[in-house]
Amino acid sequence: MLAKAKECWEQEHEEREAEKARYLAERIPTLQTRGLSLSALQDLCRDLHAKVEVVDEERYDIEAKCLHNTREIKDLKLKVLDLRGKFKRPPLRRVRVSADAMLRALLGSKHKVSMDLRANLKSVKKEDTEKERPVEVGDWRKNVEAMSGMEGRKKMFDAAKSPTSQ
């Protein structure tokens, strides 16, 4: 498999070289320097230098534009990251909406039917378990003073021990 991949890569490389040679032959004419006088050769060199200068100026302009664009892209990426960090999505909260309100919101003024589902339910009385348990309200300072020190810990130990032994 590696041999096949290497073979394909070499073939692509050769095709690129052939394409490059064809493009250069098409764009750049061959120089005829044989039989030219010294002044003609100097004129040819001046023309070639002028063309090279024009190409260098274009290359420099394109590089400057490319650098400017990459800086702008980098700045925009930073702005996007800053904005993404600043605006966090709030956690969604559960909203209690009655069925009537939901239908009114969805259907607007067309909603005429009442969807009071709770009216058909039986009512059940809750037994008050808290009424059965008397709540002792005392001074908390007395309790703290009684439980302080080793005697208080012994009382707590004895109190915890006595219900389990019964």
Side-chain angles (χ1 to χ4, degrees), residues 71-84:
R71 284 187 196 130
E72 192 173 342
I73 288 170
K74 193 182 285 185
D75 291 343
L76 290 174
K77 282 183 180 179
L78 287 173
K79 282 183 182 179
V80 166
L81 289 175
D82 287 345
L83 290 175
R84 204 180 284 163

Side-chain angles (χ1 to χ4, degrees), residues 30-47:
T30 56
L31 291 176
Q32 299 294 331
T33 56
R34 290 186 183 222
L36 292 176
S37 66
L38 183 63
S39 63
L41 285 174
Q42 288 176 343
D43 289 339
L44 181 64
C45 285
R46 285 188 194 107
D47 290 341

Side-chain angles (χ1 to χ4, degrees), residues 63-74:
E63 282 181 0
K65 285 180 184 178
C66 185
L67 285 173
H68 177 73
N69 287 341
T70 54
R71 284 187 196 130
E72 192 173 342
I73 288 170
K74 193 182 285 185

Side-chain angles (χ1 to χ4, degrees), residues 54-108:
V54 169
V55 169
D56 277 343
E57 287 175 4
E58 288 178 3
R59 182 183 55 82
Y60 178 78
D61 291 342
I62 290 172
E63 282 181 0
K65 285 180 184 178
C66 185
L67 285 173
H68 177 73
N69 287 341
T70 54
R71 284 187 196 130
E72 192 173 342
I73 288 170
K74 193 182 285 185
D75 291 343
L76 290 174
K77 282 183 180 179
L78 287 173
K79 282 183 182 179
V80 166
L81 289 175
D82 287 345
L83 290 175
R84 204 180 284 163
K86 284 182 185 174
F87 299 109
K88 290 184 180 176
R89 291 186 185 127
L92 298 177
R93 293 187 183 104
R94 209 173 268 222
V95 179
R96 293 187 64 152
V97 179
S98 67
D100 290 332
M102 196 178 299
L103 284 173
R104 246 185 264 118
L106 291 173
L107 301 175

